[in-house]
Amino acid sequence: LQALRELEGRIKDHLDAIVRLAGNADARVRRDSLKTLGETDRSQIGERVREALVAGLGDEDTAARLEATGSVAKLRLADPPVLEALKNNLGENENLLEATMAALAVAGPAAKSTLATISQLMEHPSGGVRQAAISTYAAVQSDKTVLTGRLTDALSDSEWTVRREASEALAEIGPDAKAAIPALFNLLSSEDDSDSASNAIREIDAAPEDAVPLFLANLDSDDRRTKFYAMFLLGKVGPAASEALPKLEEMLKEAESEGGSAFRTRFLKQAIASIKGEEEPDDDED
């Protein structure tokens, strides 16, 4: 079996034998057979291979189930019997949980029947499982509003790796995730979260009107990054942030009179122009 995995294109000549070995009495043989099936050319996948992998997903040997799960993910299988078998493994040990969620993530929206269980796993005691659940939920959930809300909740997780995963998933959504901007903004002052939060804010590149008071309150922040993004996001709100104009114009006047940085001056001008509904100055204007 190992030799076949290393001989490109030869697995197809022995599929019947490999499928039979996937039901061998020796768990070690089943594991290796299930792993080998994962190297099958997709054009050769038929009912016999699918049935062997589905059986492997329910194997009494956890290591065999792990191999079957890895093969299912590699082959990008997402038909109902496979998804049902994967769903049955969402209550097992952590290694199998994470492998199963990775396979479901590959399936994407086709695995929507697992969303409720995955959502529950976002509250799992293990940070690693929560992180995997966030990644999988983002891949499976097609409703961007629901997804944004769930990921925003995850931004308050106790572990920074989980918060980072949520930030990265929000960045992938783009402007439709603007409801998460206030929560991301509040993470800017955190050493652990600042980079992932600022990246998400840039990728979302939009801001909700109801966050204007939050941004206004932080225009005088001692944290430079927070102060910058307060200006930046007021500009993204646009004309609905008109109450910020007096403060922003005052800050621009001070920056110009004091010989402030061109960087700060440029972004103040851009924010003001956006709120006024005017054409924003070019980045190299200064």
Side-chain angles (χ1 to χ4, degrees):
L1 288 167
Q2 181 179 349
L4 281 175
R5 290 198 298 272
E6 295 173 0
L7 292 171
E8 186 175 349
R10 297 302 301 274
I11 290 177
K12 64 182 180 181
D13 299 326
H14 304 278
L15 271 179
D16 285 336
I18 299 169
V19 167
R20 284 198 303 272
L21 290 171
N24 193 275
D26 189 328
R28 295 170 298 176
V29 176
R30 296 199 303 276
R31 294 172 200 162
D32 217 28
S33 301
L34 292 164
K35 181 177 182 178
T36 305
L37 287 176
E39 300 298 329
T40 308
D41 188 285
R42 281 184 56 83
S43 65
Q44 301 295 319
I45 300 173
E47 195 61 29
R48 54 187 175 166
V49 173
R50 293 175 186 274
E51 288 179 354
L53 288 171
V54 168
L57 291 171
D59 199 286
E60 62 183 17
D61 179 67
T62 301
R65 271 186 283 173
L66 279 166
E67 294 294 358
T69 303
S71 291
V72 163
K74 188 174 290 187
L75 295 173
R76 307 184 72 84
L77 299 182
D79 49 287
V82 170
L83 293 175
E84 187 61 30
L86 286 170
K87 186 177 179 179
N88 290 336
N89 284 334
L90 287 175
E92 301 293 335
N93 69 63
E94 290 185 19
N95 289 336
L96 186 56
L97 263 177
E98 293 182 23
T100 299
M101 286 191 285
L104 290 170
V106 171
K112 62 182 180 181
S113 65
T114 66
L115 279 172
T117 304
I118 297 169
S119 181
Q120 291 174 354
L121 289 170
M122 290 169 71
E123 308 295 335
H124 194 277
S126 165
V129 171
R130 296 200 303 277
Q131 189 174 349
I134 287 171
S135 177
T136 303
Y137 192 86
V140 176
Q141 178 59 267
S142 57
D143 186 321
K144 292 181 179 180
T145 300
V146 174
L147 176 57
T148 297
R150 200 68 186 86
L151 292 173
T152 301
D153 290 342
L155 292 175
S156 61
D157 194 274
S158 59
E159 294 194 24
W160 73 271
T161 53
V162 178
R163 298 194 299 272
R164 180 188 62 192
E165 191 73 35
S167 295
E168 291 175 353
L170 286 163
E172 289 293 323
I173 298 173
D176 287 331
K178 70 177 183 179
I181 286 293
L184 288 165
F185 181 82
N186 286 328
L187 291 177
L188 289 171
S189 58
S190 164
E191 184 177 348
D192 290 331
D193 303 294
S194 186
D195 287 344
S196 58
S198 60
N199 179 67
I201 290 172
R202 290 194 303 272
E203 292 299 318
I204 294 171
D205 200 33
E209 180 181 344
D210 59 9
V212 168
L214 172 65
F215 305 145
L216 263 173
N218 282 278
L219 285 175
D220 292 319
S221 173
D222 293 331
D223 181 79
R224 292 181 61 188
R225 182 171 283 190
T226 298
K227 187 172 186 175
F228 162 72
Y229 276 104
M231 292 185 292
F232 173 78
L233 289 168
L234 283 167
K236 292 302 174 182
V237 172
S242 59
E243 64 182 288
L245 278 175
K247 177 63 175 178
L248 291 171
E249 289 173 336
E250 178 187 344
M251 291 172 68
L252 176 60
K253 184 176 180 180
E254 290 177 358
E256 290 177 330
S257 65
E258 296 172 1
S261 72
F263 178 82
R264 181 186 177 197
T265 301
R266 181 174 73 245
F267 277 94
L268 279 166
K269 287 181 177 179
Q270 288 177 342
I272 291 169
S274 176
I275 293 170
K276 288 183 174 181
E278 301 172 348
E279 184 177 347
E280 295 184 15
D282 294 335
D283 284 351
D284 58 356
E285 182 180 284
D286 293 306

